[in-house]
């Protein structure tokens, strides 16, 4: 609504993302509830989010906790961040013994830079901006890419007039197919591990970028 603050989207996904990486607002994990395994159907094994299935509830005043979380985030240091929440590059997901195989079966696509398409919305997948979470070399500053904000501004009236989305987004569909084929045919990709110097440069760039935003 115009004139009101808020947040939308999948709050559970956002919460799990935050809890995996930051101690701020992280709940206490309670006793793990047994998963009803279906060995004849491995697609029904738990996903990574199940690690946070049974956690303590926050019962304090929201405004009080908001101010506390803000203060904690403002003083957060690099040492307090879990930079590789899913494990090292060659052991992604190893921290969860019964992780659903669907979570890692397409790992060779994780670093594919391509358009992601869902009906009218197109987002550019930019994994080169978050390579640190894989324990890999983080280019800093990362290569700029136009996110084409115009794609996000299709009003409802225009959306109703579009009946053939594959044709409407044919350029992006073709780009995705090209990226997919190139990734499949490329073979093993060279892995460049991170080092302390590049990581420090990454932190310095991030800090400088934050300062520029505040100055603006």
């Amino acid at each position: 609504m115009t004139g009101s603050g808020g947040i939308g989207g999948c709050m559970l996904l956002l919460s799990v993302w935050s809890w995996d990486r930051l101690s701020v607002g992280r709940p206490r994990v309670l006793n793990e509830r047994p998963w009803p395994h279906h060995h004849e159907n491995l697609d029904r094994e738990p996903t990574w989010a199940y690690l946070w299935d049974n956690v303590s509830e926050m019962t304090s005043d929201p405004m009080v906790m908001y101010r506390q979380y803000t203060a904690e985030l403002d003083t957060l240091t690099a040492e307090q961040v879990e930079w590789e929440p899913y494990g090292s590059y060659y052991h992604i997901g190893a921290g969860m013994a019964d992780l659903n195989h669907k979570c890692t079966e397409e790992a060779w696509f994780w670093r594919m830079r391509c358009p992601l398409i869902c009906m009218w919305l197109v987002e550019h997948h930019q994994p080169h901006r978050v390579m640190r979470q894989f324990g890999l070399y983080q280019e800093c500053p990362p290569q700029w890419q136009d996110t084409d904000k115009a794609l996000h501004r299709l009003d409802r009236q225009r959306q109703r007039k579009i009946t053939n989305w594959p044709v409407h987004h044919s350029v992006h569909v073709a780009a995705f197919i090209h990226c997919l084929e190139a990734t499949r045919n490329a073979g093993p990709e060279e892995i460049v591990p991170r080092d302390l110097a590049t990581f420090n440069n990454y932190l310095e760039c991030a800090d400088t970028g934050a300062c520029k935003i505040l100055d603006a």
Side-chain angles (χ1 to χ4, degrees):
M1 295 177 60
T2 302
S4 64
I7 186 170
C10 181
M11 294 297 99
L12 176 59
L13 180 61
L14 179 60
S15 296
V16 170
W17 183 94
S18 176
W19 297 342
D20 277 339
R21 294 163 174 79
L22 308 175
S23 60
V24 179
R26 180 185 291 162
R28 180 169 54 90
V29 177
L30 306 178
N31 294 332
E32 180 181 345
R33 290 187 283 226
W35 179 267
H37 295 285
H38 299 269
H39 298 294
E40 73 285 355
N41 186 358
L42 296 181
D43 289 355
R44 299 181 65 179
E45 289 297 278
T47 61
W48 188 262
Y50 189 65
L51 293 173
W52 303 99
D53 171 63
N54 191 22
V55 298
S56 59
E57 295 184 10
M58 194 277 287
T59 57
S60 302
D61 183 278
M63 289 307 300
V64 173
M65 299 310 299
Y66 173 80
R67 288 191 289 269
Q68 179 177 325
Y69 292 165
T70 301
E72 291 181 17
L73 285 170
D74 286 343
T75 58
L76 199 67
T77 65
E79 292 75 22
Q80 294 173 304
V81 176
E82 179 55 64
W83 294 99
E84 299 174 29
Y86 311 119
S88 59
Y89 186 79
Y90 290 106
H91 300 90
I92 297 291
M96 189 173 180
D98 52 357
L99 181 67
N100 193 304
H101 71 103
K102 289 289 185 181
C103 294
T104 56
E105 71 175 2
E106 294 183 341
W108 56 89
F109 296 142
W110 289 348
R111 295 188 292 151
M112 186 172 72
R113 296 176 61 178
C114 62
L116 301 177
I117 308 159
C118 180
M119 300 298 288
W120 64 275
L121 182 64
V122 177
E123 293 278 1
H124 291 286
H125 191 222
Q126 302 188 62
H128 64 293
R129 300 180 66 88
V130 291
M131 297 298 278
R132 179 62 184 85
Q133 71 175 341
F134 298 118
L136 303 179
Y137 170 74
Q138 175 70 59
E139 179 186 24
C140 192
Q143 182 182 355
W144 182 85
Q145 181 174 0
D146 182 9
T147 56
D148 200 353
K149 294 181 181 179
L151 289 170
H152 302 178
R153 296 174 180 168
L154 281 176
D155 57 57
R156 295 288 182 182
Q157 188 173 1
R158 287 183 60 194
Q159 289 179 41
R160 294 192 189 98
K161 294 179 180 179
I162 300 172
T163 58
N164 194 329
W165 288 105
V167 172
H168 182 75
H169 283 323
S170 58
V171 173
H172 301 293
V173 172
F176 176 82
I177 294 174
H178 173 76
C179 292
L180 196 64
E181 293 177 347
T183 301
R184 284 173 171 164
N185 298 330
E189 189 173 356
E190 180 184 2
I191 302 300
V192 181
R194 72 172 184 88
D195 57 61
L196 184 59
T198 56
F199 180 53
N200 287 337
N201 183 49
Y202 167 70
L203 293 177
E204 185 175 334
C205 286
D207 187 51
T208 302
C211 290
K212 287 182 178 178
I213 292 174
L214 291 174
D215 291 341

